[in-house]
Amino acid sequence: LWEKNLPAIVRSLLSSERDTAADRGDWINPSKEKKKKEENDVANWDASKVITFQVPHNAAVQIYDYKSKNSRVVFGPDLVMLGPDEQFTQLSLSAGKPKKGNMIRSVALLLGPDFASDFIIVETSDHARLQLDISYNWHFQTKDTNNEKEAAKLFCVADFVGDLCKSMASKIRGAVSSVTFDDFHKNSAKIIQLAVFGVDADTNSPKEEICFPQNNLYVTSVDIKSVEPVDQRTRDSLQKSVTLAIEITTQSQEAAARREAERTEQESRGRLERQRIEDEALAENSRKELLSLQAESAAVESTGQAKAEAFSRAEAARIEAEAAVQGATLKAEALNIETKSELERMNAAREADIKFALEQNNLEIDKAEKMAKIETDKFNQMVAALGKETIQAMASGPQDHQVKMLQSLGLSSTLITDGRTPINLLNTAGGLLGNLSQPQK
């Protein structure tokens, strides 16, 4: 089987135990990795297998084909398989504070957003040296991932972290060197923001981000974690100035508090005096109203007794009349309600009686119709059950029996009576003679 050789550092980076995002801060020494390869990795690494790498989310990997002299960029999440003549592009990035080169080795380029921290030594115009701890928020921005030329820009800068920190440090040093220590101490955030992002020519306000067109790297914000003097003398001066500023602020606050207390006291005294004057004026007005009311009370007391009695009698009479009218009205309404209720009750009773009689008659009619139908059906069923011949035989049975008896006696005609039924013998004889005379004719 054909075996593909890979550098030891690439083998370590492709190890399944490493996480591209979580272990990006680990420093891998190439010489130590090479020694490990010679001692242990030869037995464990199978170079005949297909070399694969899982590109994590929001990351990119560049693969270079040494045979065709072409490169391709794969964006995650994706699974990459190397060809026979392809190799991964290794990234050697700066790390630590302050930044040092070749501290981080990686195969995948994380597109961010992420941050990079650095220590910067700056010097003000009055030769005060300060150490700044600054973090930059950055991310890569690629508009079209299918454009090979646009995607290849991401790997144009070998160490984008070091290049970013150096460029920002240069701008910040230049901006801080033109201001004094006091100005920088008061306006450090504004000075660094203007130094990093610059000023928009159209709006004359600080920009919100800065772009590095070489690799489409964007810096969106700057975080100033701490500002510390480097020289002990400067640190002591800063401590003294801070202490003096605190004392001055405390004294000014105490003076302001005293002035505020005096002003409040004067205002309180003025309000108290004014309130006293207003209370006296109100008391005089109340006294005046009291005298007026006392005079009116005396006048009413002298002349109002008779008027009050007359008014009360008239009011009592009016109340009695209204009560009588209201009582008569209520009685009339009550009588009207009783009459209507009785009329409605009688109407309801009549309607109920009529309805009961109609329903009873209908029930009797239905009963008679049903009984007649039952008797008819019973008779029809009896007739149908006996048959016409049977009924005829039952009806003519006695007469047929008598005829047969007479025929057996040899009589041609006979008359049988019980003696209680009168018989017209004349007509009977005439009938008999008539029957006898017919053969003679």
Side-chain angles (χ1 to χ4, degrees):
L1 296 175
W2 180 79
E3 295 183 355
K4 182 177 179 61
N5 294 324
L6 287 177
I9 183 66
V10 177
R11 293 183 183 181
S12 299
L13 295 175
L14 295 179
S15 175
S16 60
E17 298 179 357
R18 290 182 55 82
D19 191 307
T20 304
D23 300 334
R24 65 183 183 275
D26 296 343
W27 179 42
I28 299 175
N29 194 330
S31 61
K32 292 183 179 180
E33 294 299 329
K34 184 177 181 181
K35 187 175 181 181
K36 288 181 181 180
K37 171 184 176 296
E38 294 175 354
E39 295 177 355
N40 301 322
D41 293 348
V42 174
N44 298 328
W45 181 264
D46 188 0
S48 62
K49 291 184 178 180
V50 177
I51 299 173
T52 60
F53 178 70
Q54 293 182 357
V55 183
H57 175 70
N58 200 24
V61 173
Q62 187 181 41
I63 302 171
Y64 185 76
D65 191 344
Y66 287 92
K67 185 175 181 179
S68 61
K69 305 297 181 183
N70 293 324
S71 62
R72 58 189 176 96
V73 179
V74 179
F75 291 90
D78 200 352
L79 180 64
V80 177
M81 292 187 295
L82 287 185
D85 300 314
E86 291 181 337
Q87 291 288 345
F88 289 106
T89 299
Q90 301 179 35
L91 298 175
S92 180
L93 305 178
S94 299
K97 292 194 301 182
K99 285 290 180 286
K100 295 180 181 180
N102 300 325
M103 292 290 289
I104 298 177
R105 295 293 184 90
S106 178
V107 172
L109 175 64
L110 300 179
L111 302 180
D114 206 339
F115 66 92
S117 301
D118 192 12
F119 284 148
I120 303 174
I121 304 298
V122 297
E123 187 174 352
T124 60
S125 60
D126 52 358
H127 306 290
R129 300 182 74 243
L130 304 173
Q131 178 177 291
L132 308 181
D133 186 3
I134 299 179
S135 293
Y136 312 100
N137 286 337
W138 58 266
H139 69 276
F140 288 98
Q141 185 173 343
T142 304
K143 297 181 180 179
D144 187 7
T145 57
N146 296 322
N147 189 348
E148 292 292 339
K149 185 177 179 181
E150 188 73 16
K153 284 185 177 182
L154 299 175
F155 297 88
C156 288
V157 181
D159 184 6
F160 74 92
V161 176
D163 183 68
L164 167 65
C165 293
K166 290 177 182 178
S167 176
M168 294 299 177
S170 177
K171 292 182 179 181
I172 293 172
R173 289 192 189 97
V176 174
S177 63
S178 61
V179 297
T180 61
F181 173 75
D182 292 335
D183 293 339
F184 179 75
H185 184 66
K186 296 177 182 178
N187 305 308
S188 58
K190 183 178 181 181
I191 292 171
I192 292 176
Q193 290 281 348
L194 291 175
V196 172
F197 297 112
V199 179
D200 192 351
D202 297 332
T203 61
N204 198 20
S205 59
K207 296 180 181 179
E208 296 181 355
E209 62 182 13
I210 184 173
C211 174
F212 293 87
Q214 296 84 1
N215 56 349
N216 290 332
L217 177 64
Y218 286 80
V219 179
T220 57
S221 65
V222 179
D223 181 19
I224 306 170
K225 294 183 178 180
S226 64
V227 179
E228 296 181 358
V230 176
D231 300 333
Q232 184 64 33
R233 185 178 58 184
T234 306
R235 187 178 291 110
D236 295 339
S237 299
L238 178 62
Q239 186 66 31
K240 289 180 181 179
S241 63
V242 171
T243 305
L244 182 60
I246 293 173
E247 291 178 357
I248 293 172
T249 303
T250 304
Q251 292 176 1
S252 63
Q253 290 178 354
E254 290 177 355
R258 285 196 301 270
R259 288 194 297 271
E260 183 67 21
E262 292 176 357
R263 185 181 64 80
T264 305
E265 184 179 0
Q266 292 293 332
E267 290 180 355
S268 299
R269 289 179 180 176
R271 285 196 297 270
L272 182 60
E273 186 66 22
R274 181 177 179 181
Q275 187 67 34
R276 186 181 63 79
I277 295 172
E278 290 178 354
D279 292 341
E280 290 179 356
L282 290 174
E284 291 296 331
N285 291 330
S286 300
R287 190 177 295 108
K288 180 180 178 180
E289 291 179 0
L290 178 60
L291 294 175
S292 177
L293 291 174
Q294 287 178 353
E296 290 179 0
S297 298
V300 169
E301 185 178 359
S302 60
T303 60
Q305 185 68 29
K307 182 178 179 181
E309 292 178 357
F311 181 77
S312 61
R313 287 194 296 271
E315 188 69 17
R318 184 182 64 80
I319 292 171
E320 290 177 357
E322 290 179 355
V325 171
Q326 189 174 5
T329 304
L330 293 175
K331 288 181 180 179
E333 291 179 356
L335 181 60
N336 188 16
I337 292 171
E338 290 178 357
T339 305
K340 289 182 179 180
S341 300
E342 184 65 21
L343 181 61
E344 291 177 356
R345 187 186 64 77
M346 294 176 66
N347 291 331
R350 291 192 186 94
E351 290 178 357
D353 293 339
I354 294 170
K355 185 177 180 180
F356 176 75
L358 290 174
E359 290 180 355
Q360 189 173 9
N361 294 333
N362 292 330
L363 291 174
E364 292 293 335
I365 293 170
D366 292 340
K367 181 178 178 181
E369 290 178 353
K370 291 180 180 179
M371 293 299 295
K373 185 177 180 181
I374 290 170
E375 294 295 332
T376 304
D377 293 340
K378 179 179 178 182
F379 180 76
N380 292 331
Q381 291 176 0
M382 292 175 63
V383 171
L386 296 175
K388 294 181 180 180
E389 292 79 2
T390 304
I391 295 173
Q392 185 176 4
M394 291 174 64
S396 61
Q399 291 80 3
D400 293 341
H401 179 67
Q402 293 177 4
V403 170
K404 288 179 180 181
M405 288 178 63
L406 292 175
Q407 288 177 356
S408 63
L409 294 175
L411 297 176
S412 58
S413 64
T414 183
L415 177 63
I416 298 172
T417 180
D418 55 359
R420 289 178 297 180
T421 302
I423 301 172
N424 191 354
L425 298 177
L426 295 177
N427 292 335
T428 304
L432 295 174
L433 293 176
N435 292 333
L436 293 175
S437 62
Q438 285 179 357
Q440 294 178 3
K441 290 181 182 181

